[in-house]
Amino acid sequence: MFLEAQELKTFSPVHSSDTNRYLEGQLWPRETKDPYDRFPARAENIVRKVVWDLSTSTAGEQVRFRTNAQKIVVKYQVKGNLQMPHMPATGVSGVDLYARDQDGNWRWCHGPYSFKDTIQYAFNMTNAQGKALEYTLYLPLYNSVSWMTIQVADSCTFDPLPVRTEKPIVVYGTSIAQGACASRPGMAWTNILSRKLDFPVANLAFSGNGRLEPEVVALLSEIDARLFILDCLPNLTNLSYTTAILKNKIVQTIHDLRKKHPEVPILLTDHDGYTDGDSNTERKIAYERVNTIQHQVFDSLTQQAGLQKLYYLEREAIGQDIESMVDGTHPNDIGMMHYADAYTKKINEIFQQHDDTLVTCIPKTQYRDAPLYFWTDRHQAILKLNQRYQPHLVLIGNSITHFWGGLPIGPARGKDSWSKYIDQYRPLNLGFGWDKIENALWRIYHDELQGISPKYIVVMLGVNNLGTNTDNEIKRGMENLLQAIHVRQPKARLLLMGILPCKDREERVSKLNQQYQQLAQQLQISFADAGPLFLQKDGRIKESLFSDGLHPNAEGYALLGKFITRNLP
């Protein structure tokens, strides 16, 4: 059998020997009755029993890890029925594994499974060719997990990734948001959304019981959220919820959340309708009635009361149709994707994240320099650093910036010049080895400029895009990045640096820097090009200033440091 005769590394997400937490999507990890519960133990005496019972399912919970193993075995037991009449065991009780490669691209992982007393998935990752990949394991959508282990061969690396520190998007909803009727956990719209946006998404949806109840809302208000999504109308169509009662429920929920979190956006969502909604008059009236009532509340609060940061996702934007539901009510995988696409577009609008199909404008992770450093680990280190350190100067770049010096501490090749020229400005080094423009964009979207108030921000990026993108794509990506930086730090003085010349690409770099200069003029920010300092009279690089034709050596870093400080706006 899979890994049967090998020495094994075995990991349990909730029984780790260190102090880190590894079960993402669980918001009260130190307070649970059972280790995989979604609500704290005290909620058992607060919410209705049916809500409490549903909260013991693991919808939205996930485990992240990094391994070079070609074989990964997941074993676990569940407490409830394996499947439902309209939803397969793979969605109700199964797990789902996704990998992310070194360029930030998602891969779905195939694995034979066995549903017995102990459920087992055996994933074969031979196509990974022994490279370390980052994995996300999604837990069952409609069942409670008793215990779980993840196993790889002892000769392989295995690093569990701690729960991310970014604030979560919190979803309060119905069976649809809980995951009915996705074919497997990764296809629940909340989990698709977490991949599309790359933010933690906490699933607090309860099948048949997303009813805007004050007891549940009180628990939600304890969460330090990035965004609250209220998608409860499908459970509020009963005529016992009169217009007055439903309006009061919606208003009170918004009031209670806003009281604790005055600056956190709230997104209201329409009932998405039914497959037979146009032919079944009764069902059509039901969903249109609740949508109309919620629209009236939204208009009253935003237009008359002037409430800010309240948003609306309309049924038409979700776009369900006769092919996207299992039973006329619950989405199939197509319908789940409709939901995820609609939410992605709306949330990008809310957070002013550019929605583009151009590769340099699509935020992406990477870890091309592993194991020298791990990209996501450096990102998390910066988020923690920002909680205690206030820089005056932020430098955003690639390996040229990363390996120069400063905080966060890492391999440094230019410490002397960093100390001499840069340290005086209380700097923060947001350079990442091998970063392209779209990688820096991901980092800006994921809070690396949050909680700080720098006077200067210097951007020097684009050389790693030369091999894969046109100059126009690079320029458009840089424009998008600079706009994202300005939205988040409108008071900072921006300096766009030209790309340093590199061996055999001097002419192209020079032409691209001319476009950068035009872009800086267009955006009314400062521009400086240190390139001429690194070139000979014939236009070729001075190799004596470089360690490898791309990265400056100590002498080159000294020239760069002196140049940047003289050109700060």
Side-chain angles (χ1 to χ4, degrees):
M1 196 64 182
F2 217 61
L3 298 179
E4 190 174 77
Q6 301 185 44
E7 293 291 326
L8 303 177
K9 282 188 174 83
T10 299
F11 173 73
S12 173
V14 297
H15 294 110
S16 173
S17 59
D18 62 36
T19 58
N20 287 319
R21 296 191 293 108
Y22 299 105
L23 187 60
E24 194 158 285
Q26 187 181 62
L27 300 171
W28 292 272
R30 309 299 185 195
E31 299 184 55
T32 58
K33 180 179 178 180
D34 289 329
Y36 290 92
D37 288 352
R38 288 185 288 161
F39 267 165
R42 54 189 159 86
E44 187 172 10
N45 297 319
I46 297 173
V47 302
R48 290 182 299 113
K49 183 180 185 303
V50 65
V51 175
W52 168 257
D53 290 343
L54 287 162
S55 77
T56 64
S57 67
T58 54
E61 293 182 352
Q62 55 189 263
V63 182
R64 300 166 56 247
F65 56 90
R66 184 188 300 125
T67 183
N68 65 354
Q70 295 190 356
K71 297 179 179 179
I72 303 168
V73 172
V74 180
K75 296 180 180 180
Y76 59 101
Q77 286 185 332
V78 296
K79 300 177 183 179
N81 295 327
L82 292 179
Q83 62 188 22
M84 297 187 290
H86 63 328
M87 188 172 177
T90 50
V92 174
S93 305
V95 296
D96 216 356
L97 188 66
Y98 283 74
R100 189 148 52 178
D101 66 19
Q102 294 181 323
D103 294 316
N105 300 309
W106 286 104
R107 303 180 186 179
W108 178 72
C109 305
H110 172 263
Y113 47 80
S114 172
F115 283 87
K116 297 180 180 179
D117 179 55
T118 294
I119 301 173
Q120 175 172 302
Y121 277 70
F123 298 98
N124 193 329
M125 298 303 298
T126 53
N127 62 341
Q129 300 177 334
K131 295 181 179 178
L133 301 180
E134 291 188 359
Y135 292 87
T136 297
L137 178 72
Y138 295 104
L139 272 57
L141 297 171
Y142 266 83
N143 224 323
S144 305
V145 171
S146 299
W147 61 266
M148 173 176 286
T149 62
I150 303 169
Q151 296 178 325
V152 299
D154 191 55
S155 58
C156 299
T157 63
F158 185 90
D159 298 303
L161 298 178
V163 170
R164 291 174 286 183
T165 57
E166 289 99 329
K167 296 178 181 180
I169 296 170
V170 178
V171 179
Y172 179 26
T174 69
S175 55
I176 295 170
Q178 183 171 339
C181 290
S183 63
R184 47 188 176 82
M187 291 308 297
W189 72 254
T190 57
N191 289 336
I192 301 173
L193 184 68
S194 74
R195 292 195 300 278
K196 283 179 171 289
L197 295 178
D198 237 343
F199 283 116
V201 177
N203 188 323
L204 291 180
F206 310 103
S207 183
N209 288 275
R211 301 181 184 180
L212 300 180
E213 295 173 291
E215 297 84 1
V216 177
V217 175
L219 290 165
L220 263 65
S221 68
E222 298 177 9
I223 303 165
D224 188 13
R226 178 180 302 272
L227 167 70
F228 289 108
I229 295 176
L230 302 177
D231 191 353
C232 291
L233 291 190
N235 287 162
L236 295 168
T237 57
N238 192 298
L239 291 178
S240 63
Y241 298 107
T242 65
T243 297
I245 290 175
L246 186 50
K247 281 186 176 181
N248 182 67
K249 271 185 169 289
I250 298 169
V251 170
Q252 192 62 47
T253 298
I254 294 169
H255 175 268
D256 290 348
L257 292 176
R258 190 50 57 84
K259 184 178 180 180
K260 290 283 189 71
H261 305 281
E263 298 300 319
V264 176
I266 299 172
L267 175 59
L268 304 177
T269 304
D270 263 345
H271 189 316
D272 67 335
Y274 304 101
T275 298
D276 61 343
D278 291 330
S279 59
N280 188 318
T281 304
E282 184 178 343
R283 282 156 69 86
K284 179 177 171 63
I285 291 173
Y287 79 74
E288 287 185 342
R289 184 182 78 90
V290 294
N291 286 350
T292 298
I293 292 170
Q294 187 167 256
H295 266 286
Q296 291 171 349
V297 172
F298 175 78
D299 292 342
S300 174
L301 291 176
T302 56
Q303 297 176 18
Q304 298 176 30
L307 192 66
Q308 301 296 308
K309 297 189 176 181
L310 182 63
Y311 301 91
Y312 207 103
L313 180 63
E314 297 183 341
R315 173 178 174 268
E316 290 73 18
I318 301 169
Q320 303 293 24
D321 55 41
I322 61 171
E323 311 295 353
S324 62
M325 292 184 184
V326 171
D327 53 4
T329 301
H330 299 94
N332 56 25
D333 289 352
I334 297 171
M336 289 293 181
M337 191 61 73
H338 287 173
Y339 258 110
D341 287 342
Y343 272 116
T344 298
K345 183 175 181 179
K346 176 57 71 171
I347 292 171
N348 278 335
E349 291 174 6
I350 291 172
F351 292 111
Q352 300 183 60
Q353 298 177 173
H354 190 59
D355 193 6
D356 202 315
T357 57
L358 188 67
V359 65
T360 53
C361 295
I362 300 173
K364 268 194 176 182
T365 62
Q366 61 94 354
Y367 57 106
R368 304 180 190 97
D369 240 353
L372 177 62
Y373 88 100
F374 284 103
W375 196 89
T376 49
D377 293 354
R378 181 170 171 84
H379 169 66
Q380 291 297 324
I382 287 168
L383 298 187
K384 292 179 181 178
L385 186 62
N386 285 355
Q387 296 174 9
R388 58 179 173 82
Y389 179 73
Q390 275 293 335
H392 297 162
L393 168 65
V394 171
L395 296 98
I396 301 173
N398 48 43
S399 55
I400 294 171
T401 303
H402 180 177
F403 300 118
W404 192 353
L407 295 174
I409 296 173
R413 301 165 182 163
K415 287 183 178 179
D416 291 344
S417 59
W418 184 277
S419 298
K420 182 176 181 179
Y421 295 108
I422 307 299
D423 265 344
Q424 62 183 307
Y425 292 97
R426 191 173 172 82
L428 177 64
N429 187 331
L430 298 192
F432 281 58
W434 273 108
D435 251 19
K436 297 181 179 181
I437 291 171
E438 56 266 32
N439 304 132
L441 180 65
W442 188 100
R443 298 190 284 111
I444 299 309
Y445 282 177
H446 286 75
D447 300 342
E448 287 194 7
L449 294 179
Q450 187 74 19
I452 59 176
S453 302
K455 183 176 181 180
Y456 306 106
I457 297 178
V458 178
V459 180
M460 188 168 68
L461 269 169
V463 68
N464 291 321
N465 290 91
L466 293 176
T468 53
N469 302 111
T470 67
D471 288 0
N472 184 57
E473 289 172 336
I474 296 171
K475 179 185 177 183
R476 282 185 58 194
M478 178 58 71
E479 179 180 7
N480 184 46
L481 175 65
L482 292 170
Q483 289 171 338
I485 293 169
H486 177 69
V487 165
R488 288 151 182 81
Q489 290 289 342
K491 295 182 180 180
R493 300 178 186 177
L494 273 174
L495 171 61
L496 173 59
M497 291 284 295
I499 300 171
L500 291 186
C502 50
K503 189 173 182 178
D504 299 328
R505 284 178 168 169
E506 294 91 341
E507 185 177 353
R508 183 180 176 190
V509 168
S510 177
K511 291 180 178 178
L512 179 59
N513 284 343
Q514 292 175 24
Q515 293 197 48
Y516 272 18
Q517 184 174 20
Q518 295 170 1
L519 176 61
Q521 293 172 347
Q522 172 189 331
L523 298 178
Q524 298 182 328
I525 63 173
S526 299
F527 173 80
D529 182 9
L533 299 176
F534 291 80
L535 293 173
Q536 303 175 126
K537 290 182 180 180
D538 63 1
R540 300 299 177 184
I541 64 167
K542 295 179 181 178
E543 295 200 33
S544 61
L545 298 177
F546 293 87
S547 61
D548 55 5
L550 173 65
H551 300 90
N553 57 21
E555 185 180 354
Y557 272 126
L559 280 176
L560 183 61
K562 186 176 182 180
F563 181 85
I564 288 176
T565 55
R566 285 184 173 180
N567 284 276
L568 289 175

